Amino acid sequence: MTTPQTSVSYPADYTELLARLATVHDLHAASAVLGWDQMTYLPAGSGGPRGRHLATLTRLAHEHFTDDRIGVLLDNLSSFEASLASDSDEASLLRVARQDHGRAVRVPGSFMATFAEHQSASYQAWTVARPANDWKAVTPILERTVELSREYAGFFPRTNHLADVFVDEAEPGLDVEAVRALFSSLRARLVPMVRQIVAQARPDDTFLTRVYPVDTQWQFGEMIARKLGYDFERGRQDRAPHPFTTSFSRNDVRITTRLSETDLRFGLFATMHEAGHGMYEQGVAPGLDGTLLGSGASSGVHESQSRLWENVVGRSRGFWKWGYPRLQTTFPGQLGDVSADQFYRAINRVEPSLIRVEADEMTYNLHIMMRFDFELALLDGSLRVADLPDAWNARFKDDLGITPSSNQDGCMQDVHWFASPIAGQFQGYTIGNVLSAQCFDRACEVHPSIPSEIESGEFGSLLAWLHTNLHALGRKYDVNDTIVRATGRPLTIEPYLAYLKAKFGDLYDLS
Ligand code: ZN
């Protein structure tokens, strides 16, 4: 869209708009670099000034984006927009710019800066309070987050639920009702399966918690990420306490992982997960880079890509047919006495557990659904922050039959509420799980050889299909539109349930 051949025919207003949006993009990118640094290398004692740096950049980006001139340009460009095919890059950019600008002008820059600074301070406080299990230290901080989140929602027209604005920001085109409907139909089918499985004997997985030197894990993880198709020439991997991926451009997409010397699963699956996010960002069409359209479509669509590589591929029998001999050679002392079948069963062991990021595929969505409900309740005031630990523990007991022994492993475990608004943070994970199976199914319909390619460590056809049909679209379309264009139909739980049933029906007795 910014290539010289085509830009000559653009109206002057469009060229000016592109330039102004590029400035906003660059400020966000600079802010993302500081955010990445904060989560990876920033010394623990230097959080204060970093919060100010981020607040300044956030304020500047917001000021530039909400400049009246952008509104004028968008108005002037209405007839140009009407002359374009609606699926062209230019029409999509104008459509998304109008939505984003319309949203941004509602929120004062001073509020955005206050919120950014609060989020930064909140994250710093959480990194200290969580290891110390110090719920009291973060209670007032979280109360303030709830207050600020409500204030933010208040800048928008009233909808059915205060959280609608956050859900729509994370998943353009979706609202609380749509997510509730999806979750309740999924939950109705999932809970009976979980109950059946957890009543059965569990496979041995103790060999996964032998001592695995982290340097060797790191090398193995990098080999896997490279093999899947994550491009280290346009990215890098670092360690972070809470793995994440960030993109400053499709040519600079960074992933992070965390490693435990006594649990092989953490690093291995976090690396595959983040590589999935990374490959999505690296696959955005080059013409969209540096624009409002140059990133993934939504949190949920993003998560579908990380979960596809982590679970649908990375926890499959086929993948380990290729991967296990390599893993075994890398850790002969730890896995020499473990068969491929034992390993496969162990990495797919289903067991109610306290920590979301360590949860198995069957119980994972229950962790998400409870967080979604808590977000709604905190935001609408039906749950007070002070009552969150009790509510959390009670819901855990109901849904998973276990109770956290500490808030550290309970309501303080996730970074989200300590680095973001209180709502719209979690639904994407389950949307992503559902969509991961739908994408994989569609890719296999088109390329029936994908499963056998995976068995021989070949991932090119799958990645190419994803790049062409999903990644390249960037943020051109809303969630529903993106899903239909990529997979040929709207989001549906059937492929995901069929996937779970086939996989876990083979491992457990499922009637
Ligand atoms: Zn993720």
Side-chain angles (χ1 to χ4, degrees), residues 473-502:
L473 304 180
R475 242 188 110 211
K476 283 177 73 171
Y477 308 106
D478 71 13
V479 171
N480 291 322
D481 204 0
T482 300
I483 294 173
V484 172
R485 282 170 190 273
T487 70
R489 57 170 166 166
L491 186 65
T492 162
I493 60 172
E494 297 310 326
Y496 181 55
L497 286 164
Y499 157 78
L500 290 176
K501 221 161 174 176

Side-chain angles (χ1 to χ4, degrees), residues 27 31 34 38 47-63 109-121:
L27 288 166
S31 166
L34 294 186
Q38 179 173 28
R50 179 53 51 90
R52 202 184 63 240
H53 305 156
L54 283 164
T56 300
L57 284 172
T58 302
R59 180 175 50 75
L60 283 174
H62 189 76
E63 279 170 17
S110 56
F111 176 84
M112 290 303 290
T114 303
F115 210 164
E117 198 163 357
H118 171 72
Q119 282 168 11
S120 179

Side-chain angles (χ1 to χ4, degrees), residues 273-274 277 302-303 306-307 429:
H273 180 100
E274 300 305 329
H277 282 302
H302 234 297
E303 210 54 29
S306 53
R307 307 294 281 181
Y429 293 105

